[in-house]
Amino acid sequence: MAVDLSRRAYRAQRWAARVALVAAALAVVVPLLYGSLQGLVLLLCGAVGLALSAAALWWTLTLRGPLRWVAALVAVCVPVAVIALYAALLFWALPVSLALWALAVWSGRFALRGTESERLRERQRERRAPSPRRAVLIMNPRSGGGKVGRYRLREKAERLGARVLLLDPEKENDVTAMAREAVAGGADLLGAAGGDGTQALVAAVAAEHDIPFLVISAGTRNHFALDLGLDRGDPAACLAALTDGVELRVDLGFAGDQPFVNNASFGAYASIVQSPAYRDDKIGTSLEMLPDLLTGQQGARLVARAGDTTLDAPQALLVSNNPYRTDDPFGLGRRERLDSGLLGVLGVKVEGPVDAAALLLDPSRGRLTILTSPEVLIESDRVEIEAGVDGEALLLPAPVRCRIAPGALRVRVPRKRPGVTQAPPRLNWRRLRKLAATVGRTAAPSRFRHHPEIPDVPGGQGPFLGR
């Protein structure tokens, strides 16, 4: 995105920040003024309702029998009742408040475009590279409910000159060995059509030999493809990279010796996916196992160490290849970049209904840990640690060292792909207040222009993120 640092553009950003702050304040004040004392009572009812819902959800997950269903009913009915109460008593004030909040979000995002933090956010560089001569693609015909056959991926890839290796659905396939044999046979590009677990295995071999890797979004979810900007609805579009592609350098994560392109999960979820019944009955298996896992009666006791931070006995631990966005509901579950050289770490520890309520009302009180680190060491009171690595259930020898290999993977993607858009800026209210407070002639534009960390890019264009 071209960065306009002119005085007029900066003035517009400054006024947008002021509009955002005023609109956000009015979104809170209007219902309170309309309801007077009643408005304060409604605000208190909302907080109590959130706390009660969180506590009821905890009981739903940790109890069995009739009490579980009573708790589930409370968890559903309380939010509905609070919303109905707000709608009944606030009348026009509620939609006005929501509209003001929407205006605050839009104005805030507009104000933060092109500010220092946004320009400092490096965009992933892509570079042109010659088309492969001996591309080998490994395809899983069962992934995504049979997308390989439904989209005729094998036929289309072979017409483009690629060699296709189909996994045999009737037996165990050593994907890593197949990829290494392909490289030994002269392959100058490896690709995978399947879920993220298959993608990670083939990607690790490509990184090992420093040859390009092609992602074909033929799995069920394909989060890696999503963050690369690929079309998950049309996996055949990924094949355009064979003839009209560019390369990105991205990071690759490892849990022990096991590679991952998305994340490695430990704790309750990792224990649940180990169950043979999970694949056929995900909800029933989870409800059966969660009471014992969340209360510590089953499962390993974990200790995770990341830098100077120690997470003692988290019930859930997620280590991701680059951090996910967690501070913005509009970007939740997405990664802004894949080349930061850092793992994302998210740990949850909830020991009862009070903790569950506190987690919802104030996540920063230690029950939710969010940080980044190049390495995470996970220890256990057992010889092996249950893990879910890119959706695959595994048992890893303890302790498990999670690490990231910066820029280890050359990913070849189509030059034109639908997901390559600039992520909206994060709503940072502190920065908005500073921007709104500036008056008259400000040194901010010149300071931005000469910031030592901002590279001078010809034509005003920043580096590009393939996402």
Side-chain angles (χ1 to χ4, degrees):
M1 182 182 73
V3 178
D4 185 355
L5 294 176
S6 69
R7 192 169 300 156
R8 180 179 300 177
Y10 189 75
R11 188 182 303 120
Q13 290 175 326
R14 189 171 68 235
W15 278 104
R18 293 169 179 171
V19 169
L21 294 174
V22 171
L26 289 175
V28 176
V29 170
V30 166
L32 294 178
L33 291 178
Y34 178 82
S36 186
L37 180 60
Q38 188 181 69
L40 293 174
V41 173
L42 286 176
L43 189 62
L44 179 61
C45 286
V48 172
L50 283 175
L52 182 56
S53 299
L57 180 59
W58 168 263
W59 287 319
T60 301
L61 297 177
T62 57
L63 296 176
R64 290 189 173 93
L67 289 178
R68 162 177 277 175
W69 302 114
V70 172
L73 187 63
V74 172
V76 172
C77 290
V78 168
V80 172
V82 170
I83 293 172
L85 184 65
Y86 273 55
L89 297 181
L90 292 180
F91 298 107
W92 59 265
L94 182 60
V96 168
S97 176
L98 294 175
L100 285 168
W101 181 250
L103 175 62
V105 171
W106 183 87
S107 298
R109 290 189 184 281
F110 176 84
L112 293 175
R113 287 175 185 159
T115 60
E116 180 176 349
S117 64
E118 291 304 301
R119 283 189 294 278
L120 286 175
R121 182 194 301 165
E122 295 181 1
R123 311 295 283 178
Q124 171 69 49
R125 292 184 182 273
E126 63 178 29
R127 66 181 185 86
R128 298 302 298 266
S131 298
R133 296 178 179 272
R134 304 186 68 177
V136 176
L137 309 181
I138 298 175
M139 298 188 177
N140 186 349
R142 298 180 61 181
S143 287
K147 285 184 178 180
V148 169
R150 191 160 67 249
Y151 289 92
R152 301 178 61 82
L153 297 179
R154 178 178 185 175
E155 294 82 354
K156 292 177 181 179
E158 289 176 341
R159 281 201 298 270
L160 293 172
R163 178 187 170 207
V164 176
L165 303 177
L166 281 180
L167 300 183
D168 188 344
E170 301 300 324
K171 67 177 185 179
E172 290 289 330
N173 297 271
D174 191 336
V175 176
T176 299
M178 294 174 66
R180 285 179 174 155
E181 288 175 9
V183 174
D188 60 355
L189 176 143
L190 289 176
D196 290 318
T198 303
Q199 302 279 356
L201 294 175
V202 181
V205 177
E208 179 184 337
H209 295 275
D210 195 32
I211 63 175
F213 172 63
L214 174 64
V215 177
I216 305 172
S217 55
T220 303
R221 288 176 291 274
N222 284 122
H223 293 295
F224 188 49
L226 172 69
D227 291 327
L228 287 170
L230 300 175
D231 188 348
R232 296 191 298 173
D234 181 13
C238 302
L239 295 173
L242 291 171
T243 54
D244 185 21
V246 292
E247 279 190 17
L248 308 171
R249 277 280 184 181
V250 303
D251 306 332
L252 188 62
F254 289 88
D257 295 328
Q258 189 71 24
F260 60 90
V261 292
N262 288 320
N263 57 61
S265 177
F266 306 88
Y269 171 76
S271 297
I272 291 172
V273 297
Q274 303 291 327
S275 171
Y278 178 76
R279 186 173 296 274
D280 296 325
D281 185 11
K282 292 180 172 59
I283 295 178
T285 304
S286 299
L287 290 176
E288 177 60 30
M289 297 181 64
L290 277 173
D292 293 334
L293 290 170
L294 293 180
T295 56
Q297 299 177 52
Q298 287 187 3
R301 179 183 176 87
L302 303 178
V303 176
R305 308 182 192 279
D308 296 330
T309 303
T310 299
L311 286 72
D312 186 28
Q315 288 134 321
L317 180 68
L318 185 73
V319 180
S320 59
N321 174 18
N322 286 261
Y324 292 105
R325 293 188 70 164
T326 57
D327 63 337
D328 186 348
F330 296 97
L332 198 65
R334 296 290 299 267
R335 289 170 288 185
E336 285 184 323
R337 53 188 298 179
L338 295 169
D339 66 338
S340 69
L342 292 171
L343 297 168
V345 183
L346 191 153
V348 179
K349 183 178 182 179
V350 179
E351 297 181 318
V354 175
D355 275 359
L359 176 64
L360 185 62
L361 294 174
D362 186 6
S364 64
R365 290 285 180 160
R367 298 161 187 89
L368 178 66
T369 301
I370 301 174
L371 53 88
T372 59
S373 176
E375 182 176 309
V376 182
L377 183 66
I378 303 164
E379 301 169 332
S380 172
D381 58 356
R382 298 188 179 180
V383 177
E384 292 182 313
I385 298 179
E386 296 169 323
V389 182
D390 279 343
E392 301 292 328
L394 300 172
L395 289 173
L396 303 178
V400 176
R401 174 175 169 259
C402 294
R403 61 183 177 87
I404 196 163
L409 184 61
R410 297 165 56 190
V411 180
R412 187 172 179 89
V413 294
R415 184 171 55 86
K416 296 180 179 179
R417 50 203 189 277
V420 180
T421 57
Q422 180 168 339
R426 299 167 183 255
L427 276 178
N428 187 312
W429 297 104
R430 180 180 298 177
R431 190 171 295 115
L432 282 173
R433 287 196 300 270
K434 290 182 178 179
L435 183 61
T438 57
V439 293
R441 296 182 62 183
T442 175
S446 61
R447 183 172 69 251
F448 291 160
R449 192 178 300 118
H450 300 298
H451 195 285
E453 295 186 43
I454 302 175
D456 292 325
V457 182
Q461 293 288 341
F464 191 76
L465 173 63
R467 177 156 96 73

